[in-house]
Amino acid sequence: MSLDLGVIGNGTIAGLINSRGDYQWFCLPRFDGQPVFNQLLGGNGTFNVWMEGLAKRSQTYDRNTAILRTRMESEDGAIVEIVDFAPRFEHKGRMFRPASIVRRFEVIAGSPQLRISMRPETDWGGRQLRPIRGVNHVRFVDDEFAFRVTTDAPVSYILSETTFILDRDTTFILGADESLTDSPGVIARDWEERTRQYWAKWARGLAVPFEWQEEVIRAAITLKLCVFEETGGIVAALTTSIPEHEGSSRNWDYRYCWIRDAYFTVTALNRLSGMGTLEHYMRWVRNIVAHSKGGHIQPVYGIGLEADLSEDMAPHLPGFRGMGPVRRGNQAAEHVQHDVYGQVLLGVAQSFFDRRLLSQPGIAEFEQLEPVGERAFAVYDTPDAGIWEFRTIAHVHTSSAIMCWAACDRLARIAESLGLEARQKYWSERASIIHATILEKAWNPEIGAFTAAFGGEDLDASVLLMAEIGFLPASDERYIGTVNAVDRDLREGNHVYRYKVEDDFGKPKTAFTACTFWFIDALYRVGRVDEARAMFESVLSARNHVGLLSEDVDPETGELWGNYPQTYCMVGIINSAALLSKPWAAVT
């Protein structure tokens, strides 16, 4: 079991597939739903493919799309390609993105012999869904759950898991428990071509850097797959409970919307001119702010704005490589994390300035956001769980204070753009007070760096973001000193740790790849450009076979750990490539 997995999706559902054509993870009816295919966490919910005499296999995406192609070749030269995708395209004036997946088998050469097993589960591996066969379909049902798989393959072979010769192209469509309007092959071909056109058109509209275009496009498409389009929420990853390192018990459910992850995702796609995500996200954030009524904002919500994400264990799943526990829900929703106030403002600030948006926010939206700034100013110098969500540790975290400064600073800028002189002065004064406090209490002259917490001695890579958001210029000697300290104490080879002190679960044993990208960007900003480029290339080489990254990497082995695919990391690819690339004007 590994994280060498391709990802398909459409903004409603997503699936993870290995290079043998096996579904490792697929939830219904949305990202955070029941994992009906759950082998990734040791379950028996399968949609698997076995090929007689399998000798070679490979997996790629069709160019600039989310259409995944798995190629399998047997010892006797028979070749089959499996095309997997989730339909997504414009239809009758709106986006068609059903909770459906399509799987097509194309015979390329010879007479491939296949066995296809389909045993979906529910209750988090607690029981198998009951199959009810039809002439050309199988209904999988439970007391409160049902979906249908329609196919032009022999249904008897599928249900009995009999090996058969695939002598023609074959299609499976998994979706709602209702009849199709045409044959599965005809529908699948139509959906595939329209989905291909959608992704190609979307990728064509991205303002990519000259260098690393394929890497950036793949990262952008993957980020798009992590947006639950119905509400605008953006999940941190598509999985739960992949441990941060072997036997760590650092197993978390990431299928929810962290405000900070969403902020990073929105800004990265904005950088590429993917403006639609910002408009969806603005609606999601406005709902959160309205619900908070000027008070506490949770760091994480459900994709449908659910506030209660009560965490418990799934007893029937042993976990990734047997390394439980498997968690569903996330206790972080109960945490106090002050950085969220800055991330709310940072995430939506561009919408007040960007004239390309179809709906431009104005004074009413600004006034709705002001209570977020008031909350930031009230709590910026009080303890919280911090960006890394410590469960039993509370400090006045520097990164949280910096984000509270950002909340007040962005409100001042927005007020100025709206011609609200008194409000601009008001928020500028508050930003100045926070700024001065951070410089006084977070800078440690003995270490020569900004520390993780006020009055502390430990380092935290998250403080590197202060230059990106404008808290200090990268030329400031204190920022340069912080970069040097992180280089000295948190870097191992070409990977960077979040921190190296003990937390609730001991010392971290894997590097946090988002921090590596933050450090690469910091190197560029302080003028160490060649070193930044070399490090960026090294991190790109850690991606899996389809160009994706999980949350963590083992610096010694290069193995991927943590939930997958991780939006932080896809953001890092986009941001670092944009900084480091040669400009188009220099090469055209």
Side-chain angles (χ1 to χ4, degrees), residues 301-508:
Y301 292 84
I303 58 179
L305 280 179
E306 297 87 357
D308 183 3
L309 303 182
S310 299
E311 183 179 297
D312 67 357
M313 312 297 183
H316 305 297
L317 294 176
F320 181 79
R321 300 184 188 172
M323 300 175 193
V326 170
R327 289 184 170 93
R328 50 195 175 188
N330 201 298
Q331 185 187 324
E334 304 168 14
H335 290 180
V336 174
Q337 295 174 220
H338 300 328
D339 57 323
V340 298
Y341 305 109
Q343 285 142 3
V344 165
L345 268 301
L346 287 167
V348 302
Q350 181 173 338
S351 63
F352 286 86
F353 299 92
D354 200 315
R355 300 297 183 240
R356 294 172 294 176
L357 296 181
L358 296 177
S359 179
Q360 191 104 37
I363 293 176
E365 289 78 10
F366 167 76
E367 290 175 345
Q368 187 181 30
L369 290 169
E370 282 195 289
V372 179
E374 295 288 5
R375 182 72 176 174
F377 186 71
V379 301
Y380 78 91
D381 58 352
T382 61
D384 73 343
I387 186 174
W388 307 124
E389 298 174 344
F390 298 118
R391 295 200 166 197
T392 62
I393 302 170
H395 297 296
V396 181
H397 289 97
T398 302
S399 60
S400 295
I402 290 171
M403 285 298 173
C404 288
W405 166 84
C408 297
D409 176 76
R410 284 349 185 237
L411 283 171
R413 299 187 193 190
I414 294 168
E416 183 179 23
S417 74
L418 295 173
L420 304 174
E421 184 177 345
R423 303 313 295 164
Q424 187 273 333
K425 180 180 179 182
Y426 178 89
W427 289 113
S428 291
E429 289 175 348
R430 274 149 182 72
S432 296
I433 291 170
I434 299 175
H435 195 277
T437 303
I438 295 171
L439 294 182
E440 176 189 353
K441 296 186 176 182
W443 171 253
N444 187 321
E446 295 182 5
I447 296 175
F450 287 99
T451 54
F454 282 13
E457 298 180 351
D458 300 318
L459 294 176
D460 185 331
S462 64
V463 301
L464 294 173
L465 292 170
M466 65 171 61
E468 178 177 330
I469 66 173
F471 180 83
L472 279 182
S475 58
D476 190 290
E477 290 298 326
R478 291 165 294 187
Y479 183 73
I480 295 171
T482 302
V483 173
N484 293 337
V486 170
D487 194 353
R488 179 189 67 233
D489 294 345
L490 299 184
R491 179 178 176 179
E492 286 194 12
N494 284 323
H495 301 280
V496 176
Y497 284 68
R498 292 174 288 184
Y499 49 84
K500 284 196 173 181
V501 297
E502 287 197 8
D503 59 18
D504 308 288
F505 296 86
K507 285 188 177 183

Side-chain angles (χ1 to χ4, degrees), residues 281-291 364-365 368-369:
Y281 178 69
M282 182 67 183
R283 290 196 295 271
W284 187 75
V285 166
R286 288 186 65 190
N287 277 290
I288 286 176
V289 172
H291 291 170
E365 289 78 10
Q368 187 181 30
L369 290 169

Side-chain angles (χ1 to χ4, degrees), residues 495-541:
H495 301 280
V496 176
Y497 284 68
R498 292 174 288 184
Y499 49 84
K500 284 196 173 181
V501 297
E502 287 197 8
D503 59 18
D504 308 288
F505 296 86
K507 285 188 177 183
K509 295 183 179 179
T510 49
F512 193 77
T513 302
C515 291
T516 303
F517 285 118
W518 296 345
F519 182 71
I520 289 169
D521 297 351
L523 288 178
Y524 171 85
R525 288 188 169 94
V526 301
R528 296 161 63 178
V529 177
D530 291 342
E531 189 177 353
R533 288 177 61 91
M535 196 170 180
F536 182 57
E537 291 283 5
S538 176
V539 177
L540 289 179
S541 70

